[in-house]
Amino acid sequence: MNTRFPRSLLSLSILSALMLPTLAMAQDGNAGTTAQQAPADQNPSSQDATNLDTVVVTALRQSLQTAQAIKQDADMVVDSIVAEDIGKLPDNSVADALQRVTGVQIAQGGQGETTSVVIRGLPNVISTLNGREIFSGSGRGYAFQNLPATAVKTLRVYKSSEASLPLGGIAGLVDIELRRPFDFDGAEVAGTLTGTHSEYGGKVDPNASLLLSNRWDTDAGEFGALVNFGYLGKHYAYDAVWGDFPKIVTDGSNNPIRTTEGNLIAAPNGWGTAYNQGDRKRGAFNYALQWKPNDRTEVYLEGLYDWVRDDFDQAFYFSFPNGAVAPSQLGVGNHCYPNQLDGPLAGQTVCDATSGSWTGDTYAATSTQAHKQRGQDIQNALGVKWDGDQLHLSTEFTRTSGYYRDENFIIDTFLSGPITTVWEGTSGSHQNWYLAGDPALDPSRFYLNGLFQTWAHSRGEENSWRGDGRFEFLDGPIASIQFGLRYADRTASAKGSVEISTPPPGGAGTDNITANPNPDNQVVGLFPASSFFCSKRDNAALHQKFLVPCYDYLIDNADALRAFYGLPAGLAPENPGRFFDIGERKAAGYLQAKYDFELFGLPVDGLVGVRVEKVKRDLSAFSFDASTSVYSPITRQTDDTNTLPNASMNLHFSDEWQLRLVAAKTISYPDFGALNPSISLNPGTINRPGIASSGNPDLSPIESMNYDASLEWYFSPVGYASAGVFYRDIDGYIQTYVTNVTIGGAPYELSSPQSAGSGHLQGVELAYQQTFDFLPGAWSGLGAQLNYTYIDGSTRSPQFIGGPEISRPLQNVSKNNYNAVLFYENQGLSARLAYGYRSRYIDFFTQPTVSGNEDQVEPASSLDFSVSYDVTPQTTLVFSATNLLGNNLHQFWGDGDTRPRDIRFQDKTLALGLRFKL
C-alpha cells in the first residue's frame, strides 16, 4: 500500500492547522489587531476594555454556541450539532456527522459508507424528522446515510427519555431538524458544489446541494416556501481479505496433526477476499410551506424524499485447503488455549498456527456477485400550531413510506488443480495469503460452477396522527402541564427469492471437480475471455491479482446465461421462507408536568411524566417443516401495553453550574424481520455448509430502566465542561447467534435472534468545549472540543442457542470512545482537525469454533481535516480530507490478535468545493 499519501497529507494538514492563525494575522495586516478593532478616536483605555470583552461571532462560533445552549436548557441529557450556515455540517451524510456527538459511535458497512450508528454502545436508536418518527423500508429506524448533511439545520441526540418522545429506542433518539422558510428573514439562495476523490474508488465524484427559500407578508397572513435539493455521488472500492473460521489442522483424512508437545493445531478453514466496487448515487429533496394567518396560528406542510441507486460487484477469491490435504511448512506459535468445541477433542490444548502451505486438488474459485440496489424514503406531514396566552396546542398528520430492493446475479468459476495455497501468516493483524503460480490470472484454468440468483424486496408504510398540548401556569411550583395522544398504523413487509445454486450443463465435473473438471464448461471455450473476465487488484493482505466474471457482462447477458444453465428468463421464483407481512397499530398517550421552584434557595426544575402505549400486531408468514421441506402459512397476533414513567431534576447552583438527574423507563421493539418465524435456506456448496436464517415471533420488547446524572459547567457562551454517569438496567436484550444445525440431512449455519436475560450497561461521559478567546489577535480563533465515553455492560445469555446461560459482554459495546477536535475560525478562514476513536467490541456471536463463538471488531479510527476560506461574503472555498492516517477495520475470531477474520481497507478521500449564498 502507498504509505506516502497519508503521511504527506497528514503533514500538510497539521502544518495548515498550526499555520492558520499566522496566515490570518498576515491577512489582517497587523498581528495585534482584533477583528472588531475600536475606532482610532477612542481613548486607549476604552479601546482595551472593548477588545477584552468583544468576541467576533462567526458561523462556527454561532453553531457551537447554539448547540451549547440546547444542551444547557434541555430537560433531558441532550447533545447536538448545529449548522448555522447552510451546508456547513462537517461531513457528507447525517450518519457521518453523528460521530461528532459525545457518546455516539459509528461503523462503516461493506460498501464504504457509514451504516451503523450506536449511542453509548447500543444500536436500539429511534429516529425522528422534525420531531416525527421516520424509518427506511421495513426497518424501525432511518438509514441516516440516506440524507445529505447539507439538508440539516440541527442534529439532536437524546440520551435520556421523557413522556412526549416517541417510544422505541433504549439507546436514545436522534432528531433531524431540517430548515423551514421562517428560519430566514427573507429570500435565501444557497448551495454547495464539491468534487470528491476517493483513493480506492479512483474517480472524482460530484456532490451538490441547492436551497431556495422566501417569505411574504400578504393580506391573508405571512407565507413561506422552501425547497432544498441534495446529491451525493461516489465511485467506491471497499476491499476485505479474510480468514475463515479456525479449525483443527488434519492430514486430509480427518486425523489431527499435533505439535511435538502433543497439542492440537488450529488454522483457518480457508482464505479469501471480498472486494466491493461500485457506483452509488444518493439524492434528496425536501420542502416546507408555512402559513401564519395571525400571530397565534401556524399551518405547515412539509416533506422529504430521498433515494439511492447502487450498482456494485462483490468479487470473491478464495481457497479452502485445510482438512482436504495435509499441510507442509506448517508454523506454530505459542498462543495456546483449551479447545472450545464439543466432541472427543474437547478441552485439549490447541495452539494457533502461524503459517503454512497446502498443495493438492483443493477447491479454489472466484465469483462475482452483481448487485443492483434501489431504495427510497418518503415522508409528508400536515400540521397546525396554535398558541394562546397559557394554552398551546398542535396537531399533525403524517404519511411515511419507503422501499428497498436488492437484485443479485452470481456465477462461480473454479480453478483446475493442482492448487498450492500459501499462507504467510497474520502480520499486520490480517491474513496474508496467495496461490502459488498465479493460476487465477490464467483464463484457461477457469471452469463454470454454480449460477446463483437472489433478490429481496422490503417495504414499509405508516399513517399517523398526533395531538399535543401544553398549559402554562402563571405561578406556583408547576410551570406547565404537557399532554398528548398519538396513533400510528404501520405495515412492514418483505419477500425474497429461492436461494439455490444451479450447476452448469452436464455438471461441474466428476468426483473431485478440481482434479476432473467438465471440459465442456471451460470458460474460454464458451465465452470470450476478454469480455467475461475482469482483473482485480492485489493489496497488503492478498499478494496477487486475480480474474473474476465482469459485472457488466453478467448484468448485460443475464438472461442468456440463465438460458445456458437451463433456467427461465427473469428473476428467480419467490421463496415463502423469506416472506412476512406485519401490521402494527400503536396508540399512545402521555401526561407530564414541568415543575420549577427553589430548594434550599437554589432553583430546581424538571419533568415528571408517564407515557402509556398499546401495541397490537398481526403477523402473516410461512412455517417450515424440516422433515418434509414444506412451507405452510401461519398467522400470529400479539397485544401488549407498556407503561413508561420518567422523572428529571435540574439543580442550578448558579448561572454557570448545574446538576442534572434523570430516570426513565424505555423500551425497544424487535425489528420486524426478527419476528418472522420462517426459515430461509441457502443450500451449501462444495466449500461451505448451507446458510439459514430465521426470526423469532416470541421476541419481547427490550426493556431498560435508565438512570443519568451529569454535572455541567458553562463558563462562557462557547465554553463548557461536563461529567456524567449513566446506568441501564436492561431486560431481554436481543442478540444474534449463529448455530450449526442439520436441516433435511444437510448441514447449515443458522442465524437467529434470541432474547437474552437481565443485563446492565454503565459508563462515564466527559465533554469539554472552548474557544480560546483569551489568546492574542488572530490566535483567538482557535478552539477545541474533547469528549470521552467509557462503557461497560454485560447480560445473562446462552453461550450458544441451547447452551448454558452465562454472563457475557453486550454486543456492539466499545469500552473506550473519544473524539478530539481542534478548530479555527477567524478573518474568513476556518479549519477543523478531528480524530475519532472507538475500541474493540463484539460484533455478533458466531457458530461454535475451537476458540469460542465471539466475533470481535477493532474499528478503524479516523483523522479528518477540513479548511475553508471566504473569498467573498457570498462565496467560500472548501477543502477536506478523510482518514488521513489510512486506518483500517480489523475483525477477529475471539479475543487476541492471533486469529484475524477480516481486514477491511477504509478509503481516503480528498474534496474541493464551493459554498455560496446569494
Side-chain angles (χ1 to χ4, degrees):
M1 299 179 63
N2 185 350
T3 58
R4 292 187 59 192
F5 171 78
R7 290 177 182 170
S8 300
L9 190 55
L10 173 60
S11 301
L12 175 62
S13 302
I14 294 176
L15 179 62
S16 299
L18 294 175
M19 288 294 292
L20 286 172
T22 305
L23 293 174
M25 288 179 182
Q27 179 197 28
D28 192 37
N30 185 343
T33 304
T34 63
Q36 290 191 353
Q37 185 176 1
D41 57 355
Q42 284 189 329
N43 65 65
S45 60
S46 173
Q47 178 178 337
D48 289 342
T50 302
N51 286 341
L52 286 172
D53 295 336
T54 302
V55 174
V56 179
V57 181
T58 62
L60 175 59
R61 184 184 296 271
Q62 184 63 53
S63 67
L64 297 176
Q65 183 172 334
T66 303
Q68 179 172 312
I70 291 172
K71 179 181 179 70
Q72 183 175 7
D73 297 338
D75 295 305
M76 299 290 103
V77 180
V78 181
D79 284 291
S80 61
I81 302 175
V82 176
E84 289 296 332
D85 245 6
I86 299 169
K88 206 174 180 182
L89 276 186
D91 299 278
N92 287 331
S93 73
V94 169
D96 289 326
L98 283 169
Q99 70 181 305
R100 316 300 175 188
V101 178
T102 305
V104 175
Q105 300 88 43
I106 67 170
Q108 282 195 3
Q111 289 155 259
E113 66 175 349
T114 299
T115 57
S116 170
V117 174
V118 297
I119 298 177
R120 293 172 169 172
L122 295 175
N124 316 91
V125 178
I126 191 170
S127 41
T128 59
L129 181 74
N130 291 338
R132 69 187 75 94
E133 289 185 76
I134 187 170
F135 54 83
S136 295
S138 62
R140 290 202 179 273
Y142 180 62
F144 296 113
Q145 66 271 22
N146 286 356
L147 186 61
T150 51
V152 175
K153 176 184 178 182
T154 305
L155 290 175
R156 287 183 174 89
V157 177
Y158 293 80
K159 301 172 189 175
S160 60
S161 187
E162 45 101 338
S164 69
L165 296 177
L167 295 185
I170 65 167
L173 181 148
V174 175
D175 180 56
I176 307 167
E177 182 182 358
L178 305 183
R179 297 183 184 277
R180 291 168 170 161
F182 287 177
D183 293 339
F184 307 104
D185 294 331
E188 192 80 25
V189 178
T192 63
L193 180 61
T194 305
T196 302
H197 178 269
S198 302
E199 183 191 21
Y200 295 144
K203 294 188 178 181
V204 176
D205 296 299
N207 300 328
S209 68
L210 178 64
L211 179 144
L212 307 172
S213 179
N214 206 350
R215 56 194 297 178
W216 304 268
D217 282 319
T218 71
D219 294 338
E222 187 173 13
F223 288 88
L226 176 150
V227 292
N228 183 68
F229 305 87
Y231 174 83
L232 294 174
K234 186 173 184 180
H235 288 83
Y236 61 91
Y238 190 84
D239 295 358
V241 179
W242 45 265
D244 207 27
F245 65 90
K247 63 183 289 187
I248 300 300
V249 177
T250 67
D251 61 3
S253 299
N254 210 32
N255 299 311
I257 296 175
R258 295 181 181 269
T259 67
T260 56
E261 293 82 11
N263 294 327
L264 300 169
I265 303 171
N269 181 49
W271 295 266
T273 64
Y275 288 2
N276 287 345
Q277 183 171 343
D279 179 11
R280 179 174 55 247
K281 301 176 178 66
R282 292 192 183 276
F285 164 74
N286 64 281
Y287 72 92
L289 304 174
Q290 291 178 284
W291 173 41
K292 293 189 69 172
N294 53 59
D295 291 339
R296 293 183 179 270
T297 308
E298 179 186 332
V299 181
Y300 62 87
L301 177 67
E302 60 186 3
L304 168 70
Y305 169 72
D306 66 58
W307 56 267
V308 60
R309 305 288 183 267
D310 198 351
D311 299 320
F312 74 98
D313 67 88
Q314 189 172 29
F316 285 90
Y317 175 34
F318 52 85
S319 176
F320 288 89
N322 190 4
V325 295
S328 60
Q329 302 176 359
L330 188 65
V332 182
N334 57 9
H335 185 260
C336 305
Y337 46 90
N339 180 15
Q340 302 296 302
L341 286 175
D342 293 333
L345 303 178
Q348 295 188 27
T349 299
V350 180
C351 298
D352 287 328
T354 58
S355 62
S357 64
W358 288 257
T359 299
D361 290 318
T362 59
Y363 189 71
T366 68
S367 175
T368 293
Q369 297 191 10
H371 288 267
K372 295 179 67 175
Q373 296 181 340
R374 304 289 184 266
Q376 69 177 31
D377 305 311
I378 302 175
Q379 185 177 85
N380 292 285
L382 174 64
V384 179
K385 298 178 182 179
W386 180 82
D387 293 308
D389 293 333
Q390 292 177 259
L391 181 63
H392 307 267
L393 300 174
S394 67
T395 187
E396 185 177 78
F397 296 89
T398 304
R399 164 74 175 174
T400 306
S401 65
Y403 79 85
Y404 187 79
R405 71 173 187 262
D406 178 19
E407 297 175 4
N408 188 9
F409 188 82
I410 308 166
I411 286 185
D412 292 336
T413 53
F414 69 93
L415 293 165
S416 61
I419 300 293
T420 296
T421 303
V422 180
W423 175 39
E424 297 180 313
T426 60
S427 65
S429 293
H430 55 72
Q431 300 289 346
N432 299 276
W433 75 281
Y434 64 93
L435 298 187
D438 288 330
L441 288 176
D442 182 357
S444 67
R445 294 284 296 271
F446 285 94
Y447 291 79
L448 293 179
N449 204 346
L451 180 149
F452 185 92
Q453 52 181 344
T454 182
W455 54 267
H457 296 178
S458 66
R459 181 176 293 275
E461 297 179 348
E462 182 181 84
N463 296 311
S464 65
W465 168 84
R466 68 173 177 86
D468 297 278
R470 184 178 80 256
F471 184 83
E472 298 177 345
F473 295 92
L474 298 180
D475 53 31
I478 305 299
S480 65
I481 294 291
Q482 304 167 11
F483 52 89
L485 297 171
R486 184 180 188 273
Y487 179 79
D489 189 349
R490 171 83 190 272
T491 61
S493 61
K495 58 184 179 179
S497 66
V498 170
E499 298 173 293
I500 189 170
S501 181
T502 303
T510 58
D511 299 324
N512 185 334
I513 63 173
T514 303
N516 303 293
N518 184 345
D520 293 337
N521 291 323
Q522 188 180 26
V523 173
V524 294
L526 298 169
F527 312 111
S530 59
S531 301
F532 185 87
F533 285 117
C534 288
S535 178
K536 295 295 183 179
R537 63 180 169 273
D538 57 354
N539 55 43
L542 175 66
H543 303 161
Q544 62 186 174
K545 299 177 181 178
F546 59 99
L547 300 177
V548 295
C550 293
Y551 176 91
D552 290 339
Y553 190 90
L554 296 182
I555 294 296
D556 295 343
N557 300 279
D559 280 341
L561 292 167
R562 291 186 180 107
F564 178 80
Y565 276 78
L567 297 171
L571 299 178
E574 186 173 338
N575 176 8
R578 302 180 69 187
F579 168 85
F580 68 81
D581 190 353
I582 299 176
E584 185 178 79
R585 295 171 301 283
K586 294 191 292 187
Y590 72 90
L591 181 65
Q592 184 165 252
K594 182 176 177 63
Y595 62 86
D596 186 352
F597 59 88
E598 287 192 357
L599 180 66
F600 304 118
L602 297 178
V604 176
D605 58 67
L607 298 172
V608 176
V610 64
R611 185 182 185 95
V612 180
E613 183 160 284
K614 186 176 183 62
V615 181
K616 291 185 176 181
R617 193 177 297 125
D618 300 307
L619 165 69
S620 296
F622 289 85
S623 65
F624 179 73
D625 188 332
S627 63
T628 61
S629 297
V630 173
Y631 288 96
S632 302
I634 60 169
T635 59
R636 291 279 297 268
Q637 290 82 37
T638 59
D639 190 334
D640 192 20
T641 300
N642 298 290
T643 301
L644 306 177
N646 68 278
S648 66
M649 182 181 76
N650 298 327
L651 178 62
H652 303 272
F653 300 108
S654 67
D655 291 339
E656 297 179 344
W657 286 90
Q658 66 184 36
L659 174 67
R660 190 188 306 274
L661 303 173
V662 183
K665 182 180 180 181
T666 61
I667 65 170
S668 282
Y669 296 112
D671 288 336
F672 291 109
L675 295 168
N676 181 13
S678 190
I679 295 180
S680 173
L681 300 177
N682 179 358
T685 63
I686 190 173
N687 61 286
R688 61 162 176 79
I691 297 174
S693 62
S694 73
N696 182 351
D698 297 320
L699 294 175
S700 300
I702 307 171
E703 296 185 356
S704 177
M705 280 301 304
N706 299 351
Y707 305 94
D708 290 84
S710 65
L711 181 63
E712 301 162 6
W713 176 33
Y714 298 93
F715 51 82
S716 72
V718 187
Y720 78 89
S722 66
V725 294
F726 55 89
Y727 183 86
R728 305 286 182 262
D729 189 358
I730 303 171
D731 185 53
Y733 189 66
I734 297 173
Q735 310 207 106
T736 301
Y737 294 83
V738 178
T739 309
N740 292 323
V741 299
T742 299
I743 301 175
Y748 282 86
E749 294 176 354
L750 173 63
S751 174
S752 59
Q754 298 290 319
S755 291
S758 61
H760 75 280
L761 183 142
Q762 60 192 9
V764 176
E765 280 186 349
L766 305 175
Y768 159 78
Q769 170 180 288
Q770 185 175 10
T771 52
F772 302 143
D773 307 322
F774 52 84
L775 293 176
W779 290 97
S780 63
L782 282 171
Q785 292 174 297
L786 304 173
N787 62 67
Y788 169 77
T789 306
Y790 173 83
I791 310 171
D792 183 34
S794 65
T795 186
R796 299 288 301 178
S797 62
Q799 186 174 8
F800 49 86
I801 294 179
E805 189 173 276
I806 62 173
S807 179
R808 64 191 314 168
L810 289 169
Q811 291 174 273
N812 300 301
V813 175
S814 295
K815 283 195 172 184
N816 296 288
N817 312 267
Y818 62 82
N819 291 290
V821 179
L822 177 67
F823 60 85
Y824 179 84
E825 190 163 54
N826 200 356
Q827 294 293 320
L829 200 60
S830 178
R832 183 174 174 278
L833 189 65
Y835 181 78
Y837 171 82
R838 179 184 180 188
S839 65
R840 191 161 167 158
Y841 63 91
I842 296 175
D843 190 28
F844 63 96
F845 298 112
T846 71
Q847 75 277 16
T849 71
V850 295
S851 61
N853 72 329
E854 290 184 1
D855 183 288
Q856 298 191 8
V857 167
E858 186 177 299
S861 303
S862 182
L863 180 66
D864 304 330
F865 175 73
S866 63
V867 60
S868 65
Y869 177 70
D870 296 334
V871 180
T872 70
Q874 291 77 36
T875 58
T876 302
L877 287 175
V878 181
F879 169 79
S880 63
T882 65
N883 195 17
L884 294 171
L885 300 176
N887 289 332
N888 300 307
L889 181 146
H890 295 268
Q891 196 166 8
F892 299 89
W893 297 95
D895 58 3
D897 298 331
T898 60
R899 296 176 300 271
R901 176 170 180 155
D902 294 352
I903 178 174
R904 304 180 195 175
F905 293 95
Q906 314 278 263
D907 213 343
K908 296 184 283 287
T909 67
L910 298 173
L912 183 63
L914 175 72
R915 282 199 309 266
F916 65 88
K917 293 174 66 176
L918 303 180

